[in-house]
Tab-separated table of all heavy atoms in Angstrom:
chain	number	residue	atom	x	y	z
A	123	LEU	N	-89.539	54.158	-69.411
A	123	LEU	CA	-90.471	54.042	-70.489
A	123	LEU	C	-91.129	55.369	-70.664
A	123	LEU	O	-91.618	55.977	-69.722
A	123	LEU	CB	-91.532	52.930	-70.188
A	123	LEU	CG	-90.909	51.569	-69.839
A	123	LEU	CD1	-92.021	50.585	-69.442
A	123	LEU	CD2	-90.234	50.990	-71.048
A	131	VAL	N	-109.413	61.656	-80.914
A	131	VAL	CA	-109.779	61.104	-82.170
A	131	VAL	C	-111.253	60.822	-82.278
A	131	VAL	O	-111.849	60.506	-81.275
A	131	VAL	CB	-108.887	59.853	-82.499
A	131	VAL	CG1	-109.186	58.773	-81.545
A	131	VAL	CG2	-109.064	59.361	-83.942
A	137	LEU	N	-105.165	55.373	-84.079
A	137	LEU	CA	-104.071	55.993	-83.460
A	137	LEU	C	-102.959	55.024	-83.368
A	137	LEU	O	-103.185	53.750	-83.361
A	137	LEU	CB	-104.421	56.359	-82.017
A	137	LEU	CG	-105.153	57.713	-81.730
A	137	LEU	CD1	-105.468	57.902	-80.287
A	137	LEU	CD2	-104.237	58.876	-82.315
A	140	SER	N	-96.725	54.793	-79.157
A	140	SER	CA	-95.356	54.336	-79.112
A	140	SER	C	-94.824	54.291	-77.682
A	140	SER	O	-95.191	55.186	-76.884
A	140	SER	CB	-94.449	55.213	-79.953
A	140	SER	OG	-94.737	55.052	-81.352
A	142	ALA	N	-91.121	54.156	-75.844
A	142	ALA	CA	-89.661	54.194	-76.078
A	142	ALA	C	-88.979	53.826	-74.754
A	142	ALA	O	-89.396	54.328	-73.725
A	142	ALA	CB	-89.259	55.620	-76.531
A	145	GLY	N	-82.325	54.019	-70.976
A	145	GLY	CA	-81.660	53.509	-69.830
A	145	GLY	C	-81.258	52.009	-69.940
A	145	GLY	O	-80.269	51.544	-69.444
A	149	ASP	N	-84.845	45.448	-76.256
A	149	ASP	CA	-84.711	44.343	-77.208
A	149	ASP	C	-84.712	42.965	-76.433
A	149	ASP	O	-84.929	41.975	-77.074
A	149	ASP	CB	-83.494	44.433	-78.059
A	149	ASP	CG	-82.222	44.602	-77.223
A	149	ASP	OD1	-82.270	44.661	-76.006
A	149	ASP	OD2	-81.134	44.543	-77.886
A	151	ILE	N	-86.492	42.305	-73.528
A	151	ILE	CA	-87.569	42.150	-72.501
A	151	ILE	C	-88.968	42.233	-73.181
A	151	ILE	O	-89.116	42.883	-74.194
A	151	ILE	CB	-87.441	43.156	-71.393
A	151	ILE	CG1	-87.399	44.569	-71.952
A	151	ILE	CG2	-86.220	42.836	-70.547
A	151	ILE	CD1	-87.288	45.627	-70.938
A	162	LYS	N	-112.312	52.735	-63.424
A	162	LYS	CA	-112.222	51.358	-63.842
A	162	LYS	C	-110.849	50.794	-63.484
A	162	LYS	O	-109.930	51.608	-63.289
A	162	LYS	CB	-112.566	51.179	-65.320
A	162	LYS	CG	-114.005	51.543	-65.708
A	162	LYS	CD	-114.255	51.135	-67.189
A	162	LYS	CE	-115.634	51.417	-67.531
A	162	LYS	NZ	-115.968	51.053	-68.975
A	163	GLU	N	-110.734	49.521	-63.433
A	163	GLU	CA	-109.511	48.886	-63.221
A	163	GLU	C	-108.600	48.912	-64.423
A	163	GLU	O	-109.115	48.990	-65.536
A	163	GLU	CB	-109.672	47.409	-62.716
A	163	GLU	CG	-110.343	47.296	-61.391
A	163	GLU	CD	-110.407	45.855	-60.869
A	163	GLU	OE1	-110.037	44.939	-61.751
A	163	GLU	OE2	-110.794	45.636	-59.790
A	173	ASP	N	-88.704	38.819	-78.604
A	173	ASP	CA	-88.250	38.643	-79.974
A	173	ASP	C	-89.279	38.998	-80.980
A	173	ASP	O	-89.030	38.947	-82.156
A	173	ASP	CB	-87.905	37.116	-80.173
A	173	ASP	CG	-89.048	36.179	-79.904
A	173	ASP	OD1	-90.172	36.641	-79.574
A	173	ASP	OD2	-88.818	34.994	-79.961
A	188	THR	N	-102.776	46.253	-83.404
A	188	THR	CA	-101.673	45.485	-83.727
A	188	THR	C	-100.500	46.008	-82.923
A	188	THR	O	-100.234	47.186	-82.912
A	188	THR	CB	-101.279	45.641	-85.224
A	188	THR	OG1	-102.389	45.193	-86.017
A	188	THR	CG2	-100.050	44.803	-85.535
A	195	LYS	N	-84.532	50.318	-82.463
A	195	LYS	CA	-84.906	51.612	-81.988
A	195	LYS	C	-85.373	51.505	-80.486
A	195	LYS	O	-85.727	52.621	-79.998
A	195	LYS	CB	-85.970	52.230	-82.886
A	195	LYS	CG	-85.465	52.484	-84.325
A	195	LYS	CD	-86.529	53.106	-85.147
A	195	LYS	CE	-86.099	53.342	-86.540
A	195	LYS	NZ	-87.156	54.046	-87.373
A	199	SER	N	-94.708	49.607	-80.466
A	199	SER	CA	-95.844	50.347	-80.927
A	199	SER	C	-97.120	49.643	-80.861
A	199	SER	O	-97.167	48.398	-80.904
A	199	SER	CB	-95.649	50.823	-82.431
A	199	SER	OG	-94.485	51.641	-82.511
A	200	LEU	N	-98.229	50.359	-80.712
A	200	LEU	CA	-99.564	49.784	-80.612
A	200	LEU	C	-100.415	50.613	-81.582
A	200	LEU	O	-100.738	51.740	-81.311
A	200	LEU	CB	-100.167	49.831	-79.207
A	200	LEU	CG	-101.538	49.274	-79.034
A	200	LEU	CD1	-101.604	47.879	-79.314
A	200	LEU	CD2	-102.102	49.654	-77.670
A	201	GLU	N	-100.854	49.956	-82.607
A	201	GLU	CA	-101.738	50.685	-83.556
A	201	GLU	C	-103.172	50.186	-83.226
A	201	GLU	O	-103.445	48.999	-83.192
A	201	GLU	CB	-101.392	50.246	-84.993
A	201	GLU	CG	-102.273	50.979	-86.033
A	201	GLU	CD	-101.642	50.907	-87.448
A	201	GLU	OE1	-100.541	50.475	-87.564
A	201	GLU	OE2	-102.386	51.247	-88.418
A	202	MET	N	-104.034	51.144	-83.176
A	202	MET	CA	-105.419	50.880	-82.812
A	202	MET	C	-106.302	51.435	-83.911
A	202	MET	O	-106.192	52.647	-84.265
A	202	MET	CB	-105.780	51.363	-81.440
A	202	MET	CG	-105.017	50.817	-80.337
A	202	MET	SD	-105.609	51.301	-78.719
A	202	MET	CE	-105.275	53.053	-78.790
A	204	SER	N	-110.460	51.473	-85.749
A	204	SER	CA	-111.877	51.467	-85.465
A	204	SER	C	-112.177	51.813	-83.994
A	204	SER	O	-112.873	51.090	-83.287
A	204	SER	CB	-112.449	50.020	-85.757
A	204	SER	OG	-112.220	49.672	-87.096
A	205	LEU	N	-111.557	52.853	-83.557
A	205	LEU	CA	-111.649	53.292	-82.196
A	205	LEU	C	-113.044	53.677	-81.823
A	205	LEU	O	-113.865	54.174	-82.596
A	205	LEU	CB	-110.724	54.456	-81.895
A	205	LEU	CG	-109.260	54.105	-81.884
A	205	LEU	CD1	-108.399	55.299	-81.973
A	205	LEU	CD2	-108.981	53.248	-80.569
A	208	GLU	N	-115.534	53.835	-76.004
A	208	GLU	CA	-115.154	52.876	-74.930
A	208	GLU	C	-113.618	52.667	-74.809
A	208	GLU	O	-113.167	52.175	-73.796
A	208	GLU	CB	-115.888	51.586	-75.030
A	208	GLU	CG	-117.339	51.596	-74.895
A	208	GLU	CD	-118.070	52.222	-76.027
A	208	GLU	OE1	-117.561	52.257	-77.167
A	208	GLU	OE2	-119.216	52.730	-75.765
A	212	THR	N	-106.350	56.186	-70.197
A	212	THR	CA	-104.919	56.398	-70.237
A	212	THR	C	-104.252	55.117	-70.536
A	212	THR	O	-104.583	54.105	-69.936
A	212	THR	CB	-104.460	56.961	-68.921
A	212	THR	OG1	-105.127	58.140	-68.556
A	212	THR	CG2	-102.963	57.217	-68.864
A	214	TYR	N	-100.857	52.766	-70.766
A	214	TYR	CA	-99.612	52.620	-70.198
A	214	TYR	C	-98.760	51.511	-70.847
A	214	TYR	O	-99.323	50.468	-71.239
A	214	TYR	CB	-99.792	52.223	-68.706
A	214	TYR	CG	-100.495	53.262	-67.899
A	214	TYR	CD1	-101.869	53.261	-67.711
A	214	TYR	CD2	-99.790	54.286	-67.243
A	214	TYR	CE1	-102.507	54.159	-66.914
A	214	TYR	CE2	-100.443	55.240	-66.449
A	214	TYR	CZ	-101.788	55.159	-66.318
A	214	TYR	OH	-102.433	56.094	-65.524
A	218	ASP	N	-90.468	44.435	-68.992
A	218	ASP	CA	-89.775	43.540	-68.039
A	218	ASP	C	-90.708	42.641	-67.311
A	218	ASP	O	-90.859	42.545	-66.139
A	218	ASP	CB	-88.911	44.249	-67.063
A	218	ASP	CG	-87.658	43.454	-66.727
A	218	ASP	OD1	-87.531	42.324	-67.239
A	218	ASP	OD2	-86.808	43.951	-65.929
A	223	MET	N	-98.185	37.472	-69.168
A	223	MET	CA	-98.166	38.721	-69.925
A	223	MET	C	-99.456	39.566	-69.655
A	223	MET	O	-99.488	40.761	-69.901
A	223	MET	CB	-98.075	38.483	-71.469
A	223	MET	CG	-96.710	37.919	-71.867
A	223	MET	SD	-95.433	39.214	-71.865
A	223	MET	CE	-95.959	40.282	-73.204
A	224	PHE	N	-100.520	38.845	-69.222
A	224	PHE	CA	-101.815	39.516	-69.041
A	224	PHE	C	-101.950	40.191	-67.683
A	224	PHE	O	-102.866	40.954	-67.460
A	224	PHE	CB	-102.954	38.495	-69.262
A	224	PHE	CG	-103.026	37.922	-70.566
A	224	PHE	CD1	-102.257	36.762	-70.981
A	224	PHE	CD2	-103.832	38.517	-71.556
A	224	PHE	CE1	-102.332	36.264	-72.233
A	224	PHE	CE2	-103.974	37.942	-72.820
A	224	PHE	CZ	-103.183	36.831	-73.163
A	228	MET	N	-97.028	41.420	-62.993
A	228	MET	CA	-95.891	40.736	-63.499
A	228	MET	C	-94.873	41.722	-64.216
A	228	MET	O	-93.956	41.181	-64.732
A	228	MET	CB	-96.402	39.631	-64.466
A	228	MET	CG	-97.084	38.480	-63.740
A	228	MET	SD	-95.966	37.485	-62.642
A	228	MET	CE	-96.496	38.097	-61.000
A	240	VAL	N	-111.607	59.237	-77.308
A	240	VAL	CA	-112.329	58.963	-78.529
A	240	VAL	C	-113.695	59.624	-78.462
A	240	VAL	O	-114.494	59.307	-77.511
A	240	VAL	CB	-112.466	57.467	-78.767
A	240	VAL	CG1	-113.171	57.189	-80.098
A	240	VAL	CG2	-111.078	56.749	-78.715
Side-chain angles (χ1 to χ4, degrees):
L123 305 172
V131 63
L137 277 178
S140 291
D149 59 351
I151 54 179
K162 295 187 177 181
E163 293 186 353
D173 59 2
T188 302
K195 296 181 179 179
S199 298
L200 178 67
E201 183 167 349
M202 299 187 295
S204 302
L205 286 164
E208 293 72 24
T212 300
Y214 298 91
D218 212 359
M223 292 286 292
F224 297 86
M228 292 290 105
V240 183

